[in-house]
Amino acid sequence: MAIYFQTIANGLMLGALYACLAVGFSLVWGVLNVINMLHGSFIILGGYITYFAWHFYGIHPVAMLPVVAVLMFTLGFVLQRVAINRVVSAPVLTTLTLTFGLDMILYNVMTYWFTATPRRITLDLGAVNLGSVVLPVDRLLGTALALLLTFLLYAVMRGSNIGRAIVAVRMDRTAAELMGIRTDRIYAITFGIGALMAGVAGVVFAMVFPITTNVTGTWLGKAFVVCVVGGLGSVPGALVGGLVLGLVESFAGFWFGPQQAMTAGFVLMLILLLTRPTGLVGVKGYE
């Protein structure tokens, strides 16, 4: 029985990280109807900024969170206004191709400058034992930060004028424009928030997993699965989707081996697409 408690604990910690990873991707997809292929590279870029600040200047990763947040929001905001806004009303294949091209540029620039050598921030914080369940403190810290950041985004979406404007644009762009909301500005802010959440997720991931450009596709795939499982455009959907994916991968790794964990996640996604395309907590019309 102890091994099952350990598997559940591992799955929940992993799921919280997945929720933080995917919530920005889900927001951009749900509001702009843009499948942002840059998301995986944004995560790795946030991780690289944090790693080099820690490696060369000894800056703690937690202290880098606001710095990375500002840098990534600015990058996302500018990219949307300069490039993506020009095709935001085009068919989804056009925006998909544009973000894929931008991702290839960012991916190759990062690989050229930073190489593909895996790097990781090693904090050596030890572990907490709860009976027979062992919880590494660095992963607990990452889980707490991921949940806190996800909750902060939820609070912004629910309690601020910007958040309410984003929700209004997502529900009905034409009605929002008639109410005086500048949709182009809201789109840019939303894309900036998506990049911000990807960057801070990279900060958290750099404390838990090795950072390398070779995993940009892996993290993008995780974000995609979480959105389909939880539902598009909602913070609770990303949280539910992340936790479910984390538990499924944890148990699949325990029963069938770690190499089958990702396969189980994609099988779950296909089942949801066939049976509940809105996701577990999604809204009809955003599937």
Side-chain angles (χ1 to χ4, degrees):
M1 185 59 71
I3 191 64
Y4 286 101
F5 286 130
Q6 182 70 59
T7 304
I8 292 171
N10 292 342
L12 291 176
M13 288 189 291
L14 189 61
L17 298 177
Y18 285 167
C20 184
L21 173 154
V23 69
F25 183 78
S26 175
L27 191 66
V28 169
W29 192 354
V31 176
L32 278 72
N33 195 30
V34 170
I35 301 174
N36 180 21
M37 302 296 287
L38 280 156
H39 198 76
S41 293
F42 281 164
I43 294 169
I44 297 302
L45 181 58
Y48 272 134
I49 294 171
T50 307
Y51 171 81
F52 287 117
W54 170 79
H55 183 73
F56 290 112
Y57 304 105
I59 301 175
H60 196 281
V62 177
M64 285 300 295
L65 278 170
V67 178
V68 172
V70 172
L71 291 175
M72 295 303 297
F73 177 84
T74 305
L75 175 62
F77 187 94
V78 171
L79 270 179
Q80 202 281 337
R81 293 305 294 258
V82 171
I84 298 170
N85 193 50
R86 298 174 184 274
V87 296
V88 73
S89 299
V92 68
L93 183 60
T94 303
T95 56
L96 184 73
T97 305
L98 175 62
T99 57
F100 178 76
L102 292 171
D103 179 59
M104 286 295 97
I105 294 171
L106 180 57
Y107 172 87
N108 284 297
V109 169
M110 287 195 298
T111 303
Y112 177 80
W113 283 106
F114 307 138
T115 75
T117 302
R119 296 180 171 89
R120 181 185 170 184
I121 296 172
T122 306
L123 297 177
D124 292 328
L125 299 177
V128 174
N129 295 317
L130 295 178
S132 57
V133 178
V134 179
L135 304 173
V137 175
D138 58 351
R139 187 162 291 206
L140 279 177
L141 176 61
T143 301
L145 288 172
L147 291 175
L148 175 63
L149 293 165
T150 305
F151 173 77
L152 286 176
L153 178 61
Y154 179 74
V156 168
M157 295 296 293
R158 299 281 294 184
S160 71
N161 290 334
I162 289 295
R164 285 190 284 269
I166 291 173
V167 173
V169 171
R170 175 194 141 170
M171 295 179 69
D172 192 326
R173 174 181 176 175
T174 303
E177 288 177 339
L178 292 174
M179 296 297 292
I181 295 175
R182 295 171 54 193
T183 52
D184 287 351
R185 180 169 175 268
I186 293 300
Y187 280 166
I189 291 173
T190 303
F191 200 85
I193 292 174
L196 180 158
M197 291 304 298
V200 296
V203 175
V204 175
F205 273 63
M207 295 188 292
V208 180
F209 299 109
I211 293 295
T212 169
T213 51
N214 289 337
V215 296
T216 56
T218 300
W219 297 137
L220 177 64
K222 302 286 186 188
F224 195 87
V225 174
V226 169
C227 288
V228 173
V229 173
L232 282 179
S234 78
V235 179
L239 182 60
V240 171
L243 292 176
V244 170
L245 179 62
L247 287 169
V248 167
E249 286 195 355
S250 185
F251 275 98
F254 171 65
W255 285 325
F256 307 114
Q259 69 276 13
Q260 301 300 333
M262 184 176 290
T263 303
F266 280 100
V267 170
L268 173 68
M269 182 188 74
L270 292 176
I271 292 173
L272 263 293
L273 277 175
L274 294 173
T275 59
R276 189 178 170 83
T278 58
L280 294 175
V281 295
V283 178
K284 189 174 182 180
Y286 292 95
E287 62 268 35

